[in-house]
Amino acid sequence: MNLYSRRKFLASLACAILSLLAFASIDAQQRRKAHKLRATAVLEVTTDPVGVVSTRVIPVTILSDGNFYDAGTYKASPRPMALDNGIVYEAQKSGVAAGFVTIDKSVNNNGWTASGKWQPVTTAKKAEPTPTPVNIADQRPILHHGDAGTAATVPSVPSPSASPTPVTVPDHSSPSSSSSSADSERPVLRRRESEKPDASPSPTPAAAPAQAEGTVPKAPLPVVAAGTRTMVGISDTQSVDPRSFDFVWKPGEEQQMEGKMRKLLLSQLPRENAQLPPSALKNVVMHSFDLDLSNDAVLVMSAEVPGSYLAPGAKNAPAASSKFVDRYVTVIARVDFEGVPQKLASSVTDSTRLDVAPRLELIDAVDVDGDGLAELLFRQYSFDEKSFIIYGVGRNSVTKVFEGASTSLK
């Protein structure tokens, strides 16, 4: 019996080792070398009722030579490098390009932000008759290491109202910059040279027809839903083969998995909430991703349990002084081979403890280092400030990649 058990154990161990080696081999083939310079931002794209689009760029982090820095303070003279005028960010939704934002103005109001001109990806891909062909790969927004006194000209993304103009990395040794030897080493993001400087930039329409300025369009503009979309913005020195990070479910699977995730999320609550039904969860949001091309779903579910329990220390207090607080729960899980979500990490907090444990709000999956695998970008809310945190997701664990870029809520 002992011999049989030992053989069975060794055989199982060998199978497990072979599986791990196979996965490691696939992961090594899929993972590319991290890029040298790559900026990540959060883009708030707002469309008003008449279809005019305005954008707000919130810098998050910059990867520079293997290290992540707060993009709101990195090379911040006279403004953060990530918010220099003319820098182009590619707006992404789960890894898929949705448009481009070109920064035209940055301000420091309890933290640096910028406004920019929005260009939908459908407009950017329209073929324009030009003397020389445009390489689509070169239209990706990228960062650029520029040498002082050197200008590089590359094709730019076509504008809805003008023909493509060359992209120029300006000379940072000009008198208008803070002239110092350090500025010559300052890496600069690729920018587009505007036709005319705008003293007061204004938002551009979401989809403007290619026609002479000031003419009345013959057909009505397309209807654009009003509201604000939050997306990830990427600017990089190197091109990347785009892919969607969304996990594709078979019919009916997503609904079943949501029920399992609700139960997993409820199990993170303390004992006084053990008997809560899944219907007690409010504002439930679930996202499904294939972050590492393993075809294994990584799930992120966030929910709120309003008025779910008495605040700590209030149990022995008179009923009149007792109060209920809201609880916020976020769970990151990976679905195993049997279709069961296994928790990788969780965050549980309430409206009285946000200074200790901030509330998490998922922004999106994003490849922050350009290696082909995606990470999870969250926004954190405490009592008086908000910040960002990025997690890398492994097979059985979650690792913090970056935390910072905080701004005051007051």
Side-chain angles (χ1 to χ4, degrees), residues 18-301:
L18 289 175
S19 299
L20 290 174
L21 290 175
F23 176 80
S25 176
I26 294 175
D27 180 71
Q29 294 174 5
Q30 295 171 347
R31 184 185 295 272
R32 296 185 294 265
K33 186 177 180 180
H35 293 187
K36 290 185 177 181
L37 188 64
R38 187 174 177 90
T40 302
V42 169
L43 310 177
E44 294 177 350
V45 183
T46 302
T47 306
D48 69 10
V50 298
V52 176
V53 178
S54 59
T55 60
R56 182 167 175 255
V57 181
I58 306 170
V60 177
T61 185
I62 280 187
L63 173 67
S64 179
D65 292 327
N67 296 312
F68 286 98
Y69 300 94
D70 186 334
T73 59
Y74 184 72
K75 304 287 185 181
S77 177
R79 64 182 64 84
M81 188 193 78
L83 298 183
D84 278 339
N85 290 349
I87 292 173
V88 183
Y89 281 88
E90 179 182 276
Q92 297 181 355
K93 200 66 178 176
S94 295
V96 178
F100 300 95
V101 175
T102 304
I103 292 178
D104 54 22
K105 183 180 180 181
S106 57
V107 295
N108 187 3
N109 185 12
N110 291 327
W112 282 95
T113 59
S115 60
K117 297 181 180 179
W118 170 252
Q119 187 173 355
V121 73
T122 52
T123 303
K125 288 185 177 180
K126 285 184 178 179
E128 297 286 345
T130 55
T132 57
V134 178
N135 187 350
I136 299 300
D138 288 339
Q139 296 182 8
R140 295 184 55 81
I142 64 172
L143 300 164
H144 181 75
H145 276 285
D147 297 328
T150 305
T153 302
V154 296
S156 71
V157 181
S159 171
S161 59
S163 59
T165 56
V167 178
T168 303
V169 179
D171 187 346
H172 282 272
S173 62
S174 61
S176 60
S177 63
S178 53
S179 57
S180 66
S181 59
D183 286 343
S184 64
E185 300 299 326
R186 173 184 172 102
V188 292
L189 296 148
R190 180 174 291 178
R191 62 197 65 217
R192 279 190 305 191
E193 182 182 0
S194 58
E195 293 82 355
K196 295 180 181 180
D198 267 339
S200 55
S202 58
T204 57
Q211 58 185 2
E213 185 177 356
T215 59
V216 179
K218 296 181 180 180
L221 294 175
V223 178
V224 180
T228 299
R229 293 177 292 166
T230 300
M231 291 179 281
V232 171
I234 292 293
S235 192
D236 197 346
T237 55
Q238 301 171 240
S239 61
V240 175
D241 294 332
R243 73 173 180 93
S244 173
F245 301 133
D246 285 330
F247 183 84
V248 180
W249 297 98
K250 295 179 181 178
E253 283 186 339
E254 187 172 9
Q255 291 75 14
Q256 296 177 7
M257 193 58 62
E258 181 177 341
K260 296 177 182 179
M261 283 294 293
R262 283 175 176 261
K263 293 180 180 179
L264 179 60
L265 190 143
L266 282 172
S267 68
Q268 309 307 309
L269 298 174
R271 293 180 180 178
E272 57 262 36
N273 289 325
Q275 302 304 318
L276 286 174
S279 59
L281 298 176
K282 305 298 181 183
N283 300 323
V284 179
V285 179
M286 188 179 84
H287 297 271
S288 311
F289 300 109
D290 182 5
L291 302 178
D292 51 12
L293 290 171
S294 64
N295 202 32
D296 292 337
V298 172
L299 307 177
V300 181
M301 176 175 277

